[in-house]
Amino acid sequence: MKRAYTNLTVQVLTAIALGVAVGALFPAVGAALKPVADTFISLIKMLIAPIVFLTVVLGIAGMGSLKKVGRVGGKALLYFEVVTTLALGVGVVVANLAQPGAGVQETAQAVLQDAKKAAEAAKFTAQAGEMDWVAFFTHIIPDNVVGAFAKGDILQVLLFSVLFGLALNRMGEYAQPLVKTFDRLSHAMFGVLALVMKLAPVGAFAGMAYTIGKYGVASLLPLGKLLLVVYATMFMFIFGVLNLILRAYKLRLGPYLRFIREEILLVLGTSSSESALPRMIDKMERYGCSRSVAGLVIPTGYSFNLDGTSIYLSIAVIFLAQAFHIPLSLSQQLTLIAILMVTSKGAAGVTGSGFIVLASTLAATRLVPVESVALLLGVDRFMSEARAITNVIGNGVATLVVAKSEGEFDEARHRLALLGRSVPEQERAEPAALLPRVEVPH
Protein backbone atom coordinates (compact mmCIF):
# COMPACT_ATOMS: atom_id res chain seq x y z
CA MET A 1 0.00 0.00 0.00
CA LYS A 2 2.80 2.36 0.88
CA ARG A 3 4.52 1.62 -2.43
CA ALA A 4 1.37 2.49 -4.40
CA TYR A 5 0.91 5.69 -2.43
CA THR A 6 4.44 6.87 -3.22
CA ASN A 7 4.10 6.05 -6.94
CA LEU A 8 3.96 9.25 -9.02
CA THR A 9 1.34 7.80 -11.37
CA VAL A 10 -1.01 7.04 -8.47
CA GLN A 11 -0.38 10.45 -6.95
CA VAL A 12 -1.15 12.33 -10.17
CA LEU A 13 -4.26 10.23 -10.88
CA THR A 14 -5.54 10.91 -7.37
CA ALA A 15 -4.76 14.60 -7.74
CA ILE A 16 -6.68 14.80 -11.05
CA ALA A 17 -9.70 13.07 -9.50
CA LEU A 18 -9.63 15.44 -6.54
CA GLY A 19 -9.25 18.40 -8.88
CA VAL A 20 -12.36 17.39 -10.83
CA ALA A 21 -14.30 17.01 -7.58
CA VAL A 22 -13.20 20.39 -6.19
CA GLY A 23 -13.89 22.16 -9.50
CA ALA A 24 -17.37 20.64 -9.76
CA LEU A 25 -18.41 21.07 -6.12
CA PHE A 26 -16.62 24.34 -5.34
CA PRO A 27 -16.18 26.16 -8.70
CA ALA A 28 -15.04 29.41 -7.08
CA VAL A 29 -12.28 27.60 -5.21
CA GLY A 30 -11.25 25.70 -8.34
CA ALA A 31 -11.09 28.85 -10.46
CA ALA A 32 -8.94 30.50 -7.78
CA LEU A 33 -6.30 27.75 -8.06
CA LYS A 34 -5.04 28.92 -11.46
CA PRO A 35 -1.95 30.64 -9.95
CA VAL A 36 -0.93 27.33 -8.36
CA ALA A 37 -1.13 25.51 -11.69
CA ASP A 38 0.71 28.34 -13.46
CA THR A 39 3.45 28.30 -10.83
CA PHE A 40 4.11 24.59 -11.36
CA ILE A 41 4.28 25.03 -15.14
CA SER A 42 6.67 27.96 -14.59
CA LEU A 43 8.93 25.69 -12.53
CA ILE A 44 9.07 23.26 -15.45
CA LYS A 45 9.65 26.06 -17.97
CA MET A 46 12.51 27.30 -15.82
CA LEU A 47 14.38 24.07 -16.61
CA ILE A 48 13.49 23.62 -20.27
CA ALA A 49 16.06 25.99 -21.81
CA PRO A 50 19.12 24.71 -19.89
CA ILE A 51 18.11 21.05 -20.30
CA VAL A 52 17.52 21.46 -24.05
CA PHE A 53 20.83 23.30 -24.42
CA LEU A 54 22.89 20.76 -22.49
CA THR A 55 21.21 17.72 -24.07
CA VAL A 56 21.53 18.96 -27.64
CA VAL A 57 25.12 20.17 -27.20
CA LEU A 58 26.24 16.89 -25.59
CA GLY A 59 24.44 14.87 -28.23
CA ILE A 60 25.93 16.66 -31.22
CA ALA A 61 29.39 16.92 -29.66
CA GLY A 62 29.39 13.17 -29.13
CA MET A 63 28.02 12.20 -32.55
CA GLY A 64 31.38 12.23 -34.25
CA SER A 65 30.47 12.85 -37.88
CA LEU A 66 28.84 16.15 -38.84
CA LYS A 67 27.18 14.31 -41.72
CA LYS A 68 25.41 12.21 -39.13
CA VAL A 69 24.08 15.33 -37.40
CA GLY A 70 22.61 16.57 -40.67
CA ARG A 71 21.19 13.15 -41.47
CA VAL A 72 19.42 12.86 -38.11
CA GLY A 73 17.98 16.38 -38.41
CA GLY A 74 16.88 15.77 -42.00
CA LYS A 75 15.15 12.50 -41.12
CA ALA A 76 13.38 14.13 -38.19
CA LEU A 77 12.06 17.04 -40.27
CA LEU A 78 10.93 14.71 -43.08
CA TYR A 79 9.09 12.52 -40.56
CA PHE A 80 7.49 15.58 -38.95
CA GLU A 81 6.15 16.87 -42.26
CA VAL A 82 4.80 13.53 -43.45
CA VAL A 83 3.06 12.58 -40.19
CA THR A 84 1.59 16.03 -39.41
CA THR A 85 0.25 16.25 -42.97
CA LEU A 86 -1.30 12.82 -42.47
CA ALA A 87 -2.82 14.08 -39.20
CA LEU A 88 -4.33 17.06 -41.01
CA GLY A 89 -5.78 14.78 -43.67
CA VAL A 90 -7.28 12.45 -41.05
CA GLY A 91 -8.89 15.43 -39.30
CA VAL A 92 -10.47 16.74 -42.51
CA VAL A 93 -11.83 13.32 -43.50
CA VAL A 94 -13.31 12.61 -40.05
CA ALA A 95 -14.87 16.10 -39.83
CA ASN A 96 -16.56 15.62 -43.21
CA LEU A 97 -17.88 12.21 -42.22
CA ALA A 98 -18.97 12.99 -38.65
CA GLN A 99 -20.38 16.48 -39.37
CA PRO A 100 -19.76 17.84 -35.84
CA GLY A 101 -21.01 21.30 -36.88
CA ALA A 102 -24.48 20.06 -37.79
CA GLY A 103 -27.16 21.16 -35.34
CA VAL A 104 -25.29 24.07 -33.74
CA GLN A 105 -26.29 26.73 -36.25
CA GLU A 106 -28.51 28.61 -33.78
CA THR A 107 -25.74 28.66 -31.20
CA ALA A 108 -23.28 29.80 -33.87
CA GLN A 109 -25.43 32.72 -34.96
CA ALA A 110 -25.97 33.77 -31.35
CA VAL A 111 -22.22 33.79 -30.81
CA LEU A 112 -21.63 36.04 -33.80
CA GLN A 113 -24.16 38.53 -32.42
CA ASP A 114 -22.53 38.52 -29.01
CA ALA A 115 -20.32 41.60 -29.06
CA LYS A 116 -18.35 40.60 -25.99
CA LYS A 117 -17.35 37.23 -27.38
CA ALA A 118 -16.55 38.76 -30.75
CA ALA A 119 -14.22 41.19 -28.99
CA GLU A 120 -12.43 38.28 -27.26
CA ALA A 121 -12.04 36.59 -30.62
CA ALA A 122 -10.60 39.78 -32.07
CA LYS A 123 -7.88 39.76 -29.40
CA PHE A 124 -6.83 36.29 -30.49
CA THR A 125 -6.92 37.43 -34.12
CA ALA A 126 -4.62 40.36 -33.38
CA GLN A 127 -2.08 38.02 -31.81
CA ALA A 128 -2.45 35.54 -34.64
CA GLY A 129 -1.65 38.17 -37.22
CA GLU A 130 1.98 38.05 -36.08
CA MET A 131 2.28 34.32 -36.72
CA ASP A 132 2.81 34.34 -40.48
CA TRP A 133 5.44 31.94 -41.77
CA VAL A 134 7.99 34.66 -42.63
CA ALA A 135 7.86 36.05 -39.08
CA PHE A 136 8.00 32.51 -37.70
CA PHE A 137 11.24 31.62 -39.47
CA THR A 138 12.93 34.98 -38.90
CA HIS A 139 12.02 34.74 -35.22
CA ILE A 140 14.09 31.55 -34.91
CA ILE A 141 17.27 33.68 -34.86
CA PRO A 142 17.50 35.46 -31.47
CA ASP A 143 18.61 39.05 -31.07
CA ASN A 144 20.93 37.78 -28.36
CA VAL A 145 21.55 34.41 -26.77
CA VAL A 146 20.87 35.55 -23.20
CA GLY A 147 17.49 36.89 -24.28
CA ALA A 148 16.57 33.53 -25.85
CA PHE A 149 17.32 31.73 -22.58
CA ALA A 150 15.57 34.42 -20.52
CA LYS A 151 12.37 34.15 -22.61
CA GLY A 152 12.57 30.37 -22.76
CA ASP A 153 12.07 30.38 -26.54
CA ILE A 154 12.61 26.72 -27.44
CA LEU A 155 13.39 27.23 -31.12
CA GLN A 156 15.90 30.02 -30.48
CA VAL A 157 17.61 28.00 -27.75
CA LEU A 158 17.60 24.97 -30.04
CA LEU A 159 19.28 26.89 -32.87
CA PHE A 160 22.04 28.18 -30.59
CA SER A 161 22.46 24.72 -29.05
CA VAL A 162 22.90 23.10 -32.47
CA LEU A 163 25.49 25.69 -33.51
CA PHE A 164 27.35 25.37 -30.19
CA GLY A 165 27.29 21.58 -30.44
CA LEU A 166 28.62 21.70 -34.00
CA ALA A 167 31.45 23.97 -32.87
CA LEU A 168 32.42 21.57 -30.06
CA ASN A 169 32.20 18.66 -32.49
CA ARG A 170 34.70 20.31 -34.81
CA MET A 171 37.09 21.00 -31.93
CA GLY A 172 37.50 17.27 -31.29
CA GLU A 173 39.60 16.24 -28.26
CA TYR A 174 40.36 19.86 -27.36
CA ALA A 175 36.71 20.32 -26.35
CA GLN A 176 36.53 17.24 -24.09
CA PRO A 177 37.11 19.09 -20.76
CA LEU A 178 34.17 21.39 -21.55
CA VAL A 179 32.04 18.45 -22.69
CA LYS A 180 32.69 16.66 -19.38
CA THR A 181 31.69 19.80 -17.48
CA PHE A 182 28.46 20.05 -19.48
CA ASP A 183 27.81 16.38 -18.77
CA ARG A 184 28.03 17.00 -15.02
CA LEU A 185 25.77 20.05 -15.39
CA SER A 186 23.27 17.88 -17.28
CA HIS A 187 23.16 15.40 -14.39
CA ALA A 188 22.59 18.29 -11.98
CA MET A 189 19.75 19.75 -14.07
CA PHE A 190 17.95 16.41 -14.24
CA GLY A 191 18.40 16.21 -10.48
CA VAL A 192 16.64 19.56 -10.10
CA LEU A 193 13.90 18.27 -12.41
CA ALA A 194 13.41 15.26 -10.16
CA LEU A 195 12.87 17.61 -7.21
CA VAL A 196 10.37 19.75 -9.14
CA MET A 197 8.44 16.67 -10.25
CA LYS A 198 7.61 15.93 -6.62
CA LEU A 199 5.17 18.82 -6.97
CA ALA A 200 3.51 17.29 -10.05
CA PRO A 201 0.41 16.10 -8.13
CA VAL A 202 -0.11 19.65 -6.80
CA GLY A 203 0.16 21.11 -10.30
CA ALA A 204 -2.18 18.48 -11.78
CA PHE A 205 -4.74 19.03 -8.99
CA ALA A 206 -4.73 22.80 -9.39
CA GLY A 207 -4.84 22.65 -13.19
CA MET A 208 -7.83 20.30 -13.30
CA ALA A 209 -9.69 22.13 -10.52
CA TYR A 210 -9.23 25.41 -12.40
CA THR A 211 -10.48 23.99 -15.71
CA ILE A 212 -13.63 22.45 -14.22
CA GLY A 213 -14.26 25.35 -11.83
CA LYS A 214 -13.76 28.05 -14.47
CA TYR A 215 -15.61 26.52 -17.41
CA GLY A 216 -17.85 23.92 -15.78
CA VAL A 217 -18.91 20.57 -17.17
CA ALA A 218 -22.17 22.17 -18.39
CA SER A 219 -20.20 24.21 -20.95
CA LEU A 220 -19.42 20.98 -22.80
CA LEU A 221 -23.03 20.14 -23.64
CA PRO A 222 -23.73 22.49 -26.63
CA LEU A 223 -20.54 21.38 -28.39
CA GLY A 224 -20.40 17.85 -27.01
CA LYS A 225 -20.35 16.28 -30.47
CA LEU A 226 -17.29 18.32 -31.46
CA LEU A 227 -15.47 17.23 -28.30
CA LEU A 228 -16.40 13.61 -28.94
CA VAL A 229 -15.17 13.79 -32.55
CA VAL A 230 -11.87 15.44 -31.55
CA TYR A 231 -11.11 12.94 -28.79
CA ALA A 232 -12.19 9.95 -30.91
CA THR A 233 -10.06 11.10 -33.86
CA MET A 234 -6.96 11.53 -31.71
CA PHE A 235 -7.58 8.14 -30.10
CA MET A 236 -7.85 6.62 -33.58
CA PHE A 237 -4.69 8.42 -34.74
CA ILE A 238 -2.66 7.19 -31.76
CA PHE A 239 -3.87 3.58 -31.82
CA GLY A 240 -4.10 3.44 -35.60
CA VAL A 241 -1.47 5.55 -37.37
CA LEU A 242 1.16 5.81 -34.63
CA ASN A 243 0.67 2.16 -33.70
CA LEU A 244 1.32 1.08 -37.29
CA ILE A 245 4.42 3.29 -37.47
CA LEU A 246 5.86 1.67 -34.35
CA ARG A 247 5.03 -1.82 -35.60
CA ALA A 248 6.91 -1.06 -38.81
CA TYR A 249 9.99 -0.53 -36.63
CA LYS A 250 9.27 -3.63 -34.51
CA LEU A 251 8.12 -1.68 -31.48
CA ARG A 252 4.82 -1.87 -29.59
CA LEU A 253 2.53 0.99 -28.66
CA GLY A 254 1.20 -0.49 -25.40
CA PRO A 255 4.54 -0.82 -23.58
CA TYR A 256 5.59 2.62 -24.84
CA LEU A 257 2.42 4.27 -23.50
CA ARG A 258 2.81 2.50 -20.17
CA PHE A 259 6.39 3.72 -19.94
CA ILE A 260 5.41 7.39 -20.40
CA ARG A 261 2.13 7.18 -18.44
CA GLU A 262 3.35 9.66 -15.83
CA GLU A 263 4.08 12.25 -18.52
CA ILE A 264 0.66 11.63 -20.09
CA LEU A 265 -1.09 12.15 -16.77
CA LEU A 266 0.96 15.27 -16.08
CA VAL A 267 -0.10 16.73 -19.41
CA LEU A 268 -3.73 15.75 -18.70
CA GLY A 269 -3.65 17.63 -15.42
CA THR A 270 -1.84 20.76 -16.64
CA SER A 271 -3.19 20.92 -20.24
CA SER A 272 0.34 21.75 -21.40
CA SER A 273 2.62 19.43 -23.35
CA GLU A 274 5.52 21.72 -22.40
CA SER A 275 5.29 20.46 -18.82
CA ALA A 276 6.48 17.04 -20.02
CA LEU A 277 9.29 18.17 -22.35
CA PRO A 278 12.31 17.71 -20.05
CA ARG A 279 11.00 14.38 -18.73
CA MET A 280 10.33 13.09 -22.26
CA ILE A 281 13.98 13.61 -23.23
CA ASP A 282 15.03 11.56 -20.21
CA LYS A 283 12.34 8.92 -20.75
CA MET A 284 13.26 8.37 -24.39
CA GLU A 285 16.89 7.83 -23.33
CA ARG A 286 15.75 5.33 -20.72
CA TYR A 287 13.62 3.60 -23.37
CA GLY A 288 16.67 2.98 -25.55
CA CYS A 289 17.17 6.07 -27.73
CA SER A 290 20.59 7.70 -27.78
CA ARG A 291 21.03 11.03 -26.03
CA SER A 292 21.90 12.75 -29.31
CA VAL A 293 18.69 11.67 -31.05
CA ALA A 294 16.38 12.26 -28.07
CA GLY A 295 17.92 15.66 -27.34
CA LEU A 296 17.53 16.81 -30.95
CA VAL A 297 14.19 15.29 -31.97
CA ILE A 298 12.08 16.01 -28.86
CA PRO A 299 12.71 19.81 -28.66
CA THR A 300 12.41 20.22 -32.44
CA GLY A 301 9.20 18.22 -32.45
CA TYR A 302 7.60 20.67 -30.02
CA SER A 303 7.38 23.18 -32.88
CA PHE A 304 7.33 20.97 -35.98
CA ASN A 305 5.62 17.71 -34.95
CA LEU A 306 2.34 18.67 -33.29
CA ASP A 307 0.08 15.82 -34.38
CA GLY A 308 -2.68 16.65 -31.91
CA THR A 309 -2.71 20.33 -32.82
CA SER A 310 -2.86 19.44 -36.53
CA ILE A 311 -5.89 17.20 -36.01
CA TYR A 312 -7.61 19.84 -33.89
CA LEU A 313 -7.00 22.62 -36.43
CA SER A 314 -8.37 20.66 -39.39
CA ILE A 315 -11.48 19.47 -37.50
CA ALA A 316 -12.11 22.92 -36.00
CA VAL A 317 -12.04 24.73 -39.36
CA ILE A 318 -14.42 22.22 -40.97
CA PHE A 319 -16.64 22.38 -37.88
CA LEU A 320 -16.89 26.18 -38.06
CA ALA A 321 -17.70 26.03 -41.77
CA GLN A 322 -20.49 23.54 -41.06
CA ALA A 323 -21.80 25.56 -38.11
CA PHE A 324 -22.09 28.73 -40.22
CA HIS A 325 -23.46 26.96 -43.35
CA ILE A 326 -20.34 27.64 -45.44
CA PRO A 327 -19.87 24.80 -47.95
CA LEU A 328 -16.22 24.00 -48.74
CA SER A 329 -15.33 22.41 -52.07
CA LEU A 330 -12.65 19.74 -52.41
CA SER A 331 -10.18 22.26 -53.82
CA GLN A 332 -10.87 24.63 -50.91
CA GLN A 333 -10.27 21.84 -48.40
CA LEU A 334 -7.01 20.90 -50.12
CA THR A 335 -5.98 24.57 -49.99
CA LEU A 336 -6.90 24.55 -46.32
CA ILE A 337 -4.63 21.56 -45.66
CA ALA A 338 -1.77 23.27 -47.51
CA ILE A 339 -2.12 26.43 -45.40
CA LEU A 340 -2.45 24.42 -42.19
CA MET A 341 0.82 22.66 -43.05
CA VAL A 342 2.46 26.07 -42.55
CA THR A 343 0.41 27.65 -39.76
CA SER A 344 0.39 24.50 -37.61
CA LYS A 345 4.19 24.67 -37.38
CA GLY A 346 3.90 27.95 -35.50
CA ALA A 347 2.08 26.44 -32.53
CA ALA A 348 4.11 26.18 -29.35
CA GLY A 349 3.50 23.44 -26.78
CA VAL A 350 1.62 25.70 -24.39
CA THR A 351 -2.05 26.04 -23.55
CA GLY A 352 -4.06 28.20 -25.95
CA SER A 353 -1.54 28.28 -28.80
CA GLY A 354 -3.71 26.02 -30.97
CA PHE A 355 -6.56 28.51 -30.59
CA ILE A 356 -4.36 31.37 -31.76
CA VAL A 357 -3.10 29.38 -34.76
CA LEU A 358 -6.71 28.53 -35.66
CA ALA A 359 -7.52 32.25 -35.80
CA SER A 360 -4.47 32.90 -37.98
CA THR A 361 -5.49 30.08 -40.34
CA LEU A 362 -8.98 31.51 -40.76
CA ALA A 363 -7.48 34.93 -41.42
CA ALA A 364 -5.21 33.44 -44.09
CA THR A 365 -7.89 31.38 -45.87
CA ARG A 366 -10.76 33.89 -45.54
CA LEU A 367 -13.15 31.00 -46.07
CA VAL A 368 -14.74 31.29 -42.61
CA PRO A 369 -15.22 34.51 -40.56
CA VAL A 370 -12.40 34.91 -38.05
CA GLU A 371 -14.94 36.00 -35.43
CA SER A 372 -16.42 32.50 -35.55
CA VAL A 373 -13.61 31.21 -33.31
CA ALA A 374 -15.59 32.69 -30.41
CA LEU A 375 -17.85 29.64 -30.72
CA LEU A 376 -14.97 27.49 -29.43
CA LEU A 377 -13.99 29.65 -26.46
CA GLY A 378 -15.98 27.62 -23.95
CA VAL A 379 -14.60 24.21 -24.92
CA ASP A 380 -11.11 24.98 -26.18
CA ARG A 381 -9.59 24.37 -22.76
CA PHE A 382 -11.12 20.88 -22.64
CA MET A 383 -9.75 20.06 -26.09
CA SER A 384 -6.29 21.27 -25.17
CA GLU A 385 -5.74 18.14 -23.05
CA ALA A 386 -6.31 15.89 -26.08
CA ARG A 387 -4.06 18.07 -28.24
CA ALA A 388 -1.23 18.12 -25.71
CA ILE A 389 -1.35 14.37 -24.96
CA THR A 390 -1.33 13.48 -28.67
CA ASN A 391 1.57 15.90 -29.26
CA VAL A 392 3.65 14.31 -26.48
CA ILE A 393 2.95 10.74 -27.64
CA GLY A 394 3.69 11.69 -31.26
CA ASN A 395 7.03 13.29 -30.40
CA GLY A 396 8.09 10.17 -28.52
CA VAL A 397 7.18 8.00 -31.51
CA ALA A 398 9.17 10.31 -33.81
CA THR A 399 12.21 9.92 -31.54
CA LEU A 400 11.92 6.12 -31.59
CA VAL A 401 11.60 6.07 -35.40
CA VAL A 402 14.64 8.30 -35.97
CA ALA A 403 16.71 6.39 -33.39
CA LYS A 404 15.80 3.05 -34.94
CA SER A 405 16.53 4.21 -38.49
CA GLU A 406 19.91 5.61 -37.43
CA GLY A 407 21.00 2.56 -35.44
CA GLU A 408 20.94 4.76 -32.32
CA PHE A 409 18.61 2.48 -30.35
CA ASP A 410 19.99 0.41 -27.48
CA GLU A 411 18.05 -2.87 -27.40
CA ALA A 412 19.53 -3.93 -24.05
CA ARG A 413 18.45 -0.71 -22.36
CA HIS A 414 15.04 -1.06 -24.04
CA ARG A 415 14.57 -4.55 -22.60
CA LEU A 416 15.40 -3.26 -19.13
CA ALA A 417 12.86 -0.43 -19.55
CA LEU A 418 10.14 -2.92 -20.51
CA LEU A 419 10.87 -4.84 -17.32
CA GLY A 420 10.62 -1.71 -15.22
CA ARG A 421 14.36 -1.58 -14.60
CA SER A 422 15.33 1.42 -16.74
CA VAL A 423 18.92 2.59 -16.42
CA PRO A 424 19.43 5.64 -14.14
CA GLU A 425 20.47 8.82 -15.95
CA GLN A 426 23.95 8.93 -14.45
CA GLU A 427 24.72 5.36 -15.59
CA ARG A 428 23.36 5.69 -19.12
CA ALA A 429 26.75 6.23 -20.70
CA GLU A 430 27.69 2.60 -20.03
CA PRO A 431 28.01 0.49 -23.19
CA ALA A 432 25.05 -1.79 -23.87
CA ALA A 433 27.35 -4.83 -23.69
CA LEU A 434 27.95 -4.17 -19.99
CA LEU A 435 24.25 -4.23 -19.16
CA PRO A 436 22.77 -7.50 -17.89
CA ARG A 437 21.20 -9.70 -20.52
CA VAL A 438 17.47 -9.96 -19.87
CA GLU A 439 14.57 -11.45 -21.78
CA VAL A 440 11.23 -9.75 -22.12
CA PRO A 441 8.33 -12.06 -21.21
CA HIS A 442 5.78 -12.56 -24.01
Side-chain angles (χ1 to χ4, degrees):
M1 186 70 181
K2 183 179 179 181
R3 183 179 179 184
Y5 179 78
T6 58
N7 183 278
L8 183 61
T9 302
V10 175
Q11 291 176 350
V12 173
L13 269 175
T14 304
I16 290 174
L18 290 174
V20 171
V22 169
L25 298 175
F26 310 100
V29 175
L33 290 174
K34 186 177 187 296
V36 178
D38 290 345
T39 299
F40 174 72
I41 293 177
S42 295
L43 282 171
I44 296 292
K45 287 183 178 180
M46 171 184 73
L47 300 171
I48 288 177
I51 285 179
V52 167
F53 172 75
L54 292 168
T55 306
V56 172
V57 168
L58 288 170
I60 294 177
M63 260 189 195
S65 170
L66 291 181
K67 290 183 179 180
K68 186 175 180 181
V69 177
R71 193 170 63 243
V72 169
K75 282 184 178 181
L77 291 175
L78 178 62
Y79 175 91
F80 295 161
E81 193 57 51
V82 171
V83 177
T84 52
T85 302
L86 183 60
L88 290 170
V90 168
V92 169
V93 171
V94 171
N96 278 287
L97 293 176
Q99 296 284 311
V104 297
Q105 282 78 13
E106 292 185 7
T107 303
Q109 292 302 325
V111 167
L112 271 185
Q113 294 170 6
D114 191 323
K116 183 179 179 180
K117 289 186 177 180
E120 291 177 3
K123 286 192 293 184
F124 280 104
T125 305
Q127 296 178 55
E130 301 175 3
M131 296 184 65
D132 62 273
W133 67 273
V134 174
F136 171 70
F137 284 107
T138 55
H139 176 72
I140 294 176
I141 303 175
D143 294 330
N144 63 78
V145 175
V146 176
F149 279 86
K151 292 182 294 184
D153 192 305
I154 296 175
L155 271 181
Q156 292 184 351
V157 172
L158 182 62
L159 174 64
F160 177 72
S161 303
V162 169
L163 294 176
F164 200 95
L166 291 173
L168 290 184
N169 187 292
R170 294 183 64 182
M171 290 169 64
E173 291 296 324
Y174 185 69
Q176 286 310 300
L178 184 57
V179 170
K180 290 180 179 179
T181 299
F182 279 178
D183 187 54
R184 294 187 179 97
L185 284 174
S186 176
H187 294 329
M189 292 307 302
F190 277 107
V192 175
L193 177 62
L195 294 175
V196 171
M197 286 306 299
K198 293 183 182 298
L199 298 175
V202 177
F205 165 77
M208 190 57 70
Y210 164 74
T211 299
I212 301 298
K214 174 72 173 178
Y215 301 101
V217 179
S219 66
L220 304 179
L221 298 179
L223 303 179
K225 187 176 181 180
L226 173 63
L227 278 168
L228 181 62
V229 169
V230 169
Y231 273 81
T233 305
M234 294 191 186
F235 182 89
M236 180 178 65
F237 185 82
I238 292 169
F239 289 90
V241 175
L242 296 183
N243 185 31
L244 289 175
I245 290 174
L246 285 178
R247 284 185 176 274
Y249 286 86
K250 299 181 179 180
L251 292 168
R252 293 179 296 160
L253 180 66
Y256 162 64
L257 292 181
R258 285 194 295 272
F259 191 73
I260 63 167
R261 62 186 179 274
E262 292 173 354
E263 288 67 39
I264 293 174
L265 291 173
L266 179 62
V267 170
L268 175 64
T270 61
S271 298
S272 172
S273 58
E274 202 168 37
S275 63
L277 192 158
R279 289 262 301 186
M280 280 298 292
I281 295 175
D282 181 58
K283 277 293 184 76
M284 288 299 97
E285 284 190 62
R286 287 174 178 263
Y287 205 61
C289 300
S290 68
R291 169 179 290 192
S292 56
V293 171
L296 191 59
V297 176
I298 291 289
T300 309
Y302 265 68
S303 285
F304 293 98
N305 187 45
L306 301 177
D307 299 335
T309 302
S310 299
I311 292 172
Y312 162 76
L313 289 172
S314 56
I315 292 179
V317 173
I318 301 298
F319 164 80
L320 291 174
Q322 294 169 353
F324 290 94
H325 287 294
I326 302 173
L328 297 178
S329 65
L330 178 61
S331 62
Q332 286 175 320
Q333 293 191 32
L334 291 175
T335 301
L336 179 66
I337 292 177
I339 293 176
L340 285 171
M341 286 170 60
V342 177
T343 56
S344 63
K345 302 301 183 292
V350 294
T351 304
S353 61
F355 195 79
I356 295 173
V357 173
L358 173 61
S360 71
T361 303
L362 296 181
T365 59
R366 298 185 179 181
L367 296 173
V368 180
V370 177
E371 292 78 13
S372 65
V373 297
L375 182 61
L376 301 173
L377 282 173
V379 296
D380 182 74
R381 176 80 185 193
F382 292 95
M383 289 189 285
S384 67
E385 282 94 350
R387 290 199 301 262
I389 289 173
T390 307
N391 290 341
V392 166
I393 294 172
N395 279 322
V397 171
T399 307
L400 292 171
V401 168
V402 175
K404 274 275 191 175
S405 66
E406 276 294 305
E408 293 284 333
F409 190 80
D410 192 322
E411 295 290 351
R413 197 158 69 227
H414 177 62
R415 288 192 293 269
L416 286 175
L418 293 180
L419 292 173
R421 297 162 54 195
S422 56
V423 182
E425 196 266 342
Q426 64 270 20
E427 298 175 13
R428 222 164 290 152
E430 294 294 326
L434 298 181
L435 296 174
R437 179 72 180 179
V438 292
E439 297 296 333
V440 179
H442 296 286

